[in-house]
Amino acid sequence: MFQIEMEEKRGNIVEIKDLSAAAVQGMLSFIYMNKVLIEIDTVDDLLKASDKYEIIDLKNLCGKYLMNILDIKNCIKIVSIAELFNMQELKISAINFIVSISHHVFEMQEIDDLATVIVTYVLSELDQLENELLKSDAMIYKYDRFVHQNIVFKHTKGGSKPFYKWKYNEHKNNIEKLLHGHRVTLKADIKQGFKGNAVKFNKIGINFASSNKTIKQKLVKLLSGFSVTLIHLGHSFYRCDDRIYMIPSDNQAIIYSMTHHPESNVPVTTNKVYDKIAKNEPVLSLYATWQIQLNGDKDRFDELSKYANETIDLVLEGKGQYVDLNLPVVCNKQLDQYYSRSNNQMNTIQIYEKLPESDLTKVEKWIDELLLGIVSTV
C-alpha cells in the first residue's frame, strides 16, 4: 500500500480499525522480530490479522497454540475458530478430541453449539466427498481398459452365455421341485463359471433353457404369470486368476416378475432390492449359494409341473461386469491383506438345505468358519 498512490502512502499512516492494538502490536513484533506472545484473549485477533494480511507463519503458530491448549472447556470454541479461519487440521483434531470425551461434553451447557458445529462439519465433509466421487467417476484410470461393463450374460443359441447353468442331468431333483413351486437351494460354483476376474452383477434373474423349441415357447408363455424370489445367501466368491476370494455380506432377497415390458425388457414389477442393485455399481458376485422360488397361482403350477420330466436346464442370467485375466499388477499378494482366500465353496449348501428360511441368520458364523477353512464338515 506504500508503493502505490493511496492515502496511506501520502500520509505514511495506516489506520487499522478492525483489529485490537494488542493484535497489531503482536503482528508487527512477529514480522520484525519473529517473536509474538499468543494468549487465549489475543489469539482471535492475531488470527484475524494473519488472515487479513496473509501471514501464513503467524496463522500456523496460532494453530499450534490452540492445539496445545485444547481441553474440555475450550474444545467447542476451538472448533468454531478453526471453522471460521479454515484451519482444517485444527478442526479435525478438535472434533476427534470432542468425540473421545463426548460423555463429558454432553453434560456441558454448550450442547447446542456442539451439535451445530458437528452437523456443519459433517455436511461440509459430505459435500467434499460428493465432489471427490464426481471427480473419480469422470477420471480415466490406468486399468479401466481391462474392466468390461454392461455385459449381457444370457442363454442364446450361438450367442452370449449365461452367468451360470444348472444342467438338468446334474440338478434334476431341484429343477423338478422348482417347477412344482418348492423353494430350492443351489450353488453357483465359481470353478465352473465364466472365466473372468471379479465377476459381479447388477441385474440378475433365472430362466429355463430347452433344446426343444416348442417346449421353450410354452415355458415362456407359462412363466409370464410368475414372479421369482432369488435370495443371495451372503457369501460372494470372486476369482483373481488362480485365486478365489470370499467376501461375506448380508442376505439379499431379490424379487421380480417374469413378465417384462415389451420395449425396455425390464420386469413389470420388482422389489426395492432389485432396483437398488440394478441402478448402482455392481458389488455382489453371482457365485454364491442361492435360494430360488417361483411364485404363482396353483392352477399355473399345475400346468408348469407337466414339464418337470422334460430335459430343462436352469440358467442364471443378467447384466454385469468382469476384469480381464492374467493381470499380475491386479492379482497380487496385497489382496490377501484385505480379503479372505477360500477354495472351499463346498458343503455350505448342506447347511442351508437343513434349515428353514427363518433360521438362516443362525448359521452365519458356521458358514464363515467353513469357508475360511476353520471347520471342514457340517
Side-chain angles (χ1 to χ4, degrees):
M1 67 180 65
F2 289 110
Q3 295 175 348
I4 58 177
E5 290 301 322
M6 295 182 67
E7 185 177 340
E8 287 83 358
K9 179 181 179 182
R10 290 192 293 270
N12 287 327
I13 296 174
V14 179
E15 186 176 359
I16 302 175
K17 297 179 179 180
D18 54 349
L19 296 174
S20 68
V24 174
Q25 184 178 357
M27 177 180 66
L28 294 173
S29 174
F30 182 78
I31 292 170
Y32 292 106
M33 295 186 292
N34 201 29
K35 293 180 180 180
V36 62
L37 177 63
I38 304 175
E39 296 177 323
I40 192 65
D41 295 331
T42 61
V43 68
D44 279 19
D45 275 349
L46 283 172
L47 280 168
K48 286 180 188 176
S50 64
D51 222 32
K52 180 176 181 177
Y53 296 106
E54 298 182 0
I55 309 172
I56 304 301
D57 289 343
L58 178 57
K59 186 175 182 179
N60 290 339
L61 202 60
C62 291
K64 288 180 181 177
Y65 168 78
L66 291 170
M67 195 92 76
N68 289 334
I69 67 165
L70 182 63
D71 63 24
I72 192 170
K73 294 181 180 178
N74 61 27
C75 55
I76 296 170
K77 181 181 178 181
I78 288 177
V79 173
S80 300
I81 292 172
E83 181 73 26
L84 180 63
F85 293 105
N86 194 28
M87 303 168 77
Q88 190 70 8
E89 186 178 348
L90 176 62
K91 182 170 68 173
I92 292 171
S93 296
I95 287 180
N96 286 340
F97 177 80
I98 289 171
V99 171
S100 70
I101 48 97
S102 57
H103 57 291
H104 293 302
V105 176
F106 287 121
E107 297 172 1
M108 298 166 62
Q109 294 296 320
E110 296 92 339
I111 184 65
D112 292 337
D113 294 337
L114 172 65
T116 302
V117 165
I118 291 179
V119 169
T120 302
Y121 172 73
V122 169
L123 290 176
S124 171
E125 290 299 301
L126 287 174
D127 285 340
Q128 186 175 342
L129 179 60
E130 183 179 12
N131 290 333
E132 291 299 320
L133 288 172
L134 289 172
K135 287 180 186 176
S136 176
D137 287 342
M139 290 179 68
I140 297 175
Y141 295 98
K142 183 177 180 181
Y143 299 108
D144 283 352
R145 63 193 172 117
F146 302 115
V147 181
H148 304 273
Q149 296 181 311
N150 299 313
I151 305 299
V152 175
F153 293 85
K154 190 174 178 66
H155 181 78
T156 55
K157 188 175 181 180
S160 62
K161 295 182 179 180
F163 279 127
Y164 195 80
K165 180 187 289 187
W166 290 285
K167 295 180 180 179
Y168 179 80
N169 58 355
E170 297 173 7
H171 300 277
K172 177 182 177 181
N173 290 338
N174 276 321
I175 292 173
E176 288 179 357
K177 287 179 182 178
L178 193 59
L179 293 173
H180 279 89
H182 300 294
R183 183 187 68 203
V184 300
T185 305
L186 290 165
K187 176 187 66 178
D189 190 347
I190 191 169
K191 294 180 180 178
Q192 298 177 22
F194 177 78
K195 301 305 180 187
N197 283 333
V199 182
K200 306 172 188 175
F201 70 88
N202 53 3
K203 286 189 178 178
I204 197 80
I206 61 164
N207 213 335
F208 294 91
S210 172
S211 58
N212 186 313
K213 290 184 178 179
T214 302
I215 291 176
K216 185 176 180 179
Q217 290 172 355
K218 288 182 178 180
L219 281 173
V220 169
K221 187 175 181 180
L222 268 175
L223 289 167
S224 65
F226 287 85
S227 67
V228 179
T229 299
L230 282 172
I231 302 179
H232 184 287
L233 292 175
H235 291 81
S236 290
F237 291 81
Y238 303 87
R239 178 186 301 279
C240 205
D241 288 343
D242 60 342
R243 282 171 279 170
I244 295 172
Y245 293 92
M246 187 277 293
I247 301 178
S249 64
D250 293 335
N251 299 342
Q252 300 296 339
I254 301 164
I255 303 173
Y256 68 95
S257 65
M258 296 198 77
T259 305
H260 288 66
H261 291 288
E263 295 179 359
S264 62
N265 200 32
V266 173
V268 172
T269 61
T270 58
N271 71 343
K272 205 165 185 177
V273 177
Y274 181 101
D275 293 339
K276 286 187 175 182
I277 292 174
K279 291 176 182 177
N280 291 286
E281 282 287 316
V283 174
L284 294 174
S285 168
L286 64 117
Y287 299 112
T289 304
W290 293 88
Q291 284 193 337
I292 308 171
Q293 186 165 19
L294 292 170
N295 311 302
D297 297 334
K298 182 181 181 303
D299 292 343
R300 282 188 170 272
F301 273 116
D302 289 341
E303 287 294 314
L304 191 62
S305 60
K306 293 177 182 178
Y307 296 91
N309 293 320
E310 300 289 344
T311 304
I312 299 170
D313 298 328
L314 175 66
V315 295
L316 203 55
E317 299 181 331
K319 188 171 75 171
Q321 72 174 44
Y322 70 93
V323 180
D324 286 336
L325 295 170
N326 302 317
L327 298 174
V329 289
V330 175
C331 294
N332 52 50
K333 292 183 179 180
Q334 290 182 359
L335 289 175
D336 293 342
Q337 299 176 28
Y338 307 104
Y339 305 110
S340 301
R341 274 209 215 189
S342 177
N343 290 317
N344 186 7
Q345 201 185 350
M346 306 296 290
N347 299 327
T348 59
I349 194 168
Q350 299 174 21
I351 297 176
Y352 287 117
E353 285 179 332
K354 290 179 180 180
L355 293 162
E357 187 175 348
S358 59
D359 290 335
L360 285 177
T361 54
K362 295 180 181 179
V363 296
E364 289 302 319
K365 183 178 178 182
W366 301 347
I367 297 293
D368 286 337
E369 291 177 349
L370 175 66
L371 296 175
L372 295 174
I374 297 172
V375 295
S376 58
T377 57
V378 176

